[in-house]
Amino acid sequence: MSDPVVDKIQSHPKYRQLRAKRSSFGWLLTILMLVVYYGYIALIAFNKPFLATPIGSGVTTVGVPLGMGVIIFTIVITAIYVRRANSEFDDLTAEILKDVNK
């Protein structure tokens, strides 16, 4: 059985636009995250001396701020996605629902 409301939503041109935008943006952020994360892991695997290089005369090494950078990058791209989802994606969703409920 098929729900007529679901069929109307899925055939709506703005729904297709929403799916395309959300999907491409999600894939872009996923690829960026994979590059950053696996780049850091590759540094750990293949260039330990670089990561073990002390910063200044202290005991902190280059690997610590790079690791923190990976964590901060994750938070930033999550915030970017949430901001776009709460504005552009939610606006498109509201327009679709408004058109379908007419």
Side-chain angles (χ1 to χ4, degrees):
M1 284 197 292
S2 179
D3 187 358
V5 175
V6 172
D7 292 338
K8 282 175 77 173
I9 290 171
Q10 288 179 342
S11 64
H12 198 285
K14 288 184 181 178
Y15 177 71
R16 291 189 188 115
Q17 178 187 6
L18 172 66
R19 283 185 52 191
K21 283 184 176 186
R22 191 179 56 202
S23 179
S24 64
F25 190 60
W27 278 111
L28 172 68
L29 295 181
T30 299
I31 290 167
L32 287 174
M33 186 65 233
L34 288 172
V35 167
V36 169
Y37 179 75
Y38 283 111
Y40 183 68
I41 296 301
L43 273 175
I44 292 170
F46 300 113
N47 201 353
K48 287 179 189 165
F50 171 70
L51 292 175
T53 305
I55 297 175
S57 60
V59 294
T60 304
T61 63
V62 172
V64 173
L66 283 178
M68 290 296 291
V70 171
I71 294 168
I72 292 169
F73 180 78
T74 303
I75 294 167
V76 167
I77 66 169
T78 301
I80 290 169
Y81 182 85
V82 167
R83 183 173 183 183
R84 187 163 178 193
N86 287 339
S87 60
E88 181 180 351
F89 299 157
D90 282 355
D91 291 344
L92 273 172
T93 301
E95 290 176 24
I96 292 165
L97 291 175
K98 187 176 120 182
D99 290 348
V100 168
N101 288 326
K102 284 184 181 178

